Amino acid sequence: MKIAIAGFGALGSRLGVKLQTAGHEVTGIDGWPAHIAAINTTGLTVVHDDLPPKKYFVPVVTPKEVTGEFDLIILLTKTPQLDRMLTDIAPIITQKTQLLVLSNGLGNIEVIEKHVARDQILAGVTLWTSTLVKPGEIRTTGTGSIKLQAIGHADAAPVAAALNEAGLNVEITQDVLTAIWHKAGINSVLNPLSVLLDANIAEFGTAGNGMDLALHILDEIQKVGATQGVKVDIVSIMNDLTNLLKPENAGNHYPSMYQDIKNGKYTEIDFLNGYFAKIGRRENVATPFNALVTDLIHAKEDIERIKLAKQQETFEI
Ligand SMILES: NC(=O)C1=CN([C@@H]2O[C@H](COP(=O)(O)OP(=O)(O)OC[C@H]3O[C@@H](n4cnc5c(N)ncnc54)[C@H](OP(=O)(O)O)[C@@H]3O)[C@@H](O)[C@H]2O)C=CC1
Ligand SMILES: CC(C)(CO)C(=O)C(=O)O
């Protein structure tokens, strides 16, 4: 299959390498000049757990440069960047192109619907993980899975089969909305708490009251979900959280929000805890934990961005 990955950052790069290795023709689309230059000149370095680094050569271009036709475009930008990415790559989207979004957070499908017909959209969630260490290098750990569904009338089976050829452990779900809320529940616990507690997923698991904090956050999300007709299964989310703590899954992973904060970037908090707090306010559901976590992450975004800017100034002197 001819596949483009729009958002060739940490996770896009990992999935891209797996798909290329399985024989698919993969092109990365990304906006970070240093990352693109590094991959196109010396290759993408992948360091998986304690194994020796391996190099992969996946062509990467900017959204404005990309040409050609693709059977599938996998969207893996950060959620706030999705709309812009779709605008920029509009020239390569034909009526035959399928678009699969795997980014975290709520509201992605609504954004894609502004750009293409519903029958072209597939939406999913993933438990694959990856860290962008520096331009042209990712660090990966453990394994993962994907759940996806066609949003309109398209058949999701060929895409699922293509991804499964790459060992991506894809399952077609009949209820991706529930899966998206479920995944957002996982992210609303692990992502901000990893930042606030300065911990990877396994370290978070060693906190005596970690799972109590998780329950407070999830209880609110469940109540908010009920106002939207979405069933949030706390027991099942807690099960997934427990599994993610294991090193063979994602225990050694620092969630993507942790990476954003370290890199001085704005996070996806408004599409996770912040989204639930916002609906809670509208629907009169109290969400003090999610609201507080959202405010703390916004504060942390400012603090880290200013710290990083100061460090860069000092460096330039
Ligand atoms: N990393 C992980 O382990 C996991 C991540 N996810 C989710 O996957 C998504 C991607 O995360 P991750 O890979 O970590 O993020 P990264 O920040 O590593 O990658 C996102 C990439 O997209 C690029 N990008 C975004 N918008 C544009 C644009 N308009 N034009 C050009 N390039 C663009 C960014 O470049 P630039 O910023 O320079 O524009 C960046 O390289 C997120 O929703 C995340 O929550 C889900 C599961 C695990
Ligand atoms: C792996 C996981 C679930 C960690 O919260 C994730 O989605 C992320 O890093 O953003």
Side-chain angles (χ1 to χ4, degrees):
M1 208 178 244
K2 216 173 153 201
I3 303 174
I5 303 192
F8 206 70
L11 194 58
S13 298
R14 182 175 192 179
L15 300 194
V17 159
K18 287 182 81 69
L19 288 161
Q20 188 193 55
T21 307
H24 296 293
E25 195 183 322
V26 178
T27 301
I29 307 174
D30 201 83
W32 188 10
H35 185 52
I36 299 174
I39 298 176
N40 288 337
T41 50
T42 49
L44 173 73
T45 304
V46 181
V47 185
H48 184 72
D49 287 328
D50 298 326
L51 299 174
K54 276 181 97 170
K55 287 264 187 199
Y56 296 87
F57 290 86
V58 183
V60 189
V61 289
T62 64
K64 296 251 159 90
E65 282 166 358
V66 66
T67 53
E69 273 198 31
F70 296 89
D71 304 304
L72 174 67
I73 300 177
I74 302 179
L75 298 162
L76 265 170
T77 64
K78 285 285 160 41
T79 295
Q81 298 164 327
L82 178 61
D83 195 38
R84 170 78 200 280
M85 175 61 96
L86 285 164
T87 302
D88 288 349
I89 63 170
I92 61 159
I93 303 176
T94 71
Q95 282 175 358
K96 282 191 267 163
T97 320
Q98 287 194 290
L99 290 99
L100 165 64
V101 62
L102 292 175
S103 301
N104 281 330
L106 277 300
N108 292 320
I109 299 170
E110 290 77 358
V111 171
I112 306 173
E113 274 176 340
K114 292 197 289 174
H115 295 266
V116 297
R118 273 177 80 75
D119 284 348
Q120 290 179 262
I121 308 173
L122 291 96
V125 289
T126 180
L127 289 175
W128 287 97
T129 63
S130 180
T131 301
L132 190 47
V133 189
K134 60 179 187 200
E137 183 170 329
I138 57 167
R139 184 168 279 276
T140 62
T141 182
T143 183
S145 58
I146 292 172
K147 278 188 186 168
L148 60 81
Q149 183 181 16
I151 296 305
H153 296 102
D155 182 7
V159 169
L163 269 54
N164 273 331
E165 283 166 20
L168 288 172
N169 302 326
V170 178
E171 186 194 312
I172 296 177
T173 168
Q174 299 311 320
D175 188 1
V176 81
L177 187 63
T178 300
I180 290 170
W181 276 66
H182 179 103
K183 177 75 199 296
I186 294 174
N187 287 120
S188 294
V189 172
L190 292 180
N191 293 23
L193 295 187
S194 73
V195 173
L196 299 171
L197 304 175
D198 193 12
N200 68 21
I201 295 179
E203 287 162 354
F204 165 73
T206 62
N209 62 353
M211 290 304 169
D212 292 336
L213 290 170
L215 280 173
H216 286 304
I217 290 171
L218 294 173
D219 182 55
E220 292 176 5
I221 295 176
Q222 187 184 52
K223 289 183 175 127
V224 171
T227 68
Q228 306 302 298
V230 180
K231 190 177 175 308
V232 174
D233 183 343
I234 295 185
V235 175
S236 163
I237 295 179
M238 293 300 278
N239 251 336
D240 277 357
L241 287 175
T242 309
N243 280 327
L244 284 167
L245 304 179
K246 297 177 191 158
E248 62 272 29
N249 294 327
N252 295 322
H253 173 69
Y254 285 89
S256 53
M257 190 174 288
Y258 184 99
Q259 299 174 43
D260 289 338
I261 292 286
K262 289 281 166 227
N263 294 330
K265 285 172 136 189
Y266 289 112
T267 70
E268 297 178 309
I269 196 73
D270 288 334
F271 302 88
L272 298 166
N273 311 69
Y275 187 97
F276 299 123
K278 192 172 159 192
I279 305 183
R281 275 193 298 276
R282 197 181 69 208
E283 303 288 342
N284 277 324
V285 175
T287 57
F289 281 92
N290 283 281
L292 177 62
V293 161
T294 304
D295 287 345
L296 289 173
I297 292 296
H298 281 314
K300 192 73 179 153
E301 284 169 347
D302 290 345
I303 292 168
E304 291 303 319
R305 285 173 70 81
I306 289 166
K307 261 199 221 166
L308 260 177
K310 278 196 182 139
Q311 273 170 18
Q312 273 155 12
E313 267 170 35
T314 320
F315 193 66
E316 275 161 18
I317 283 168

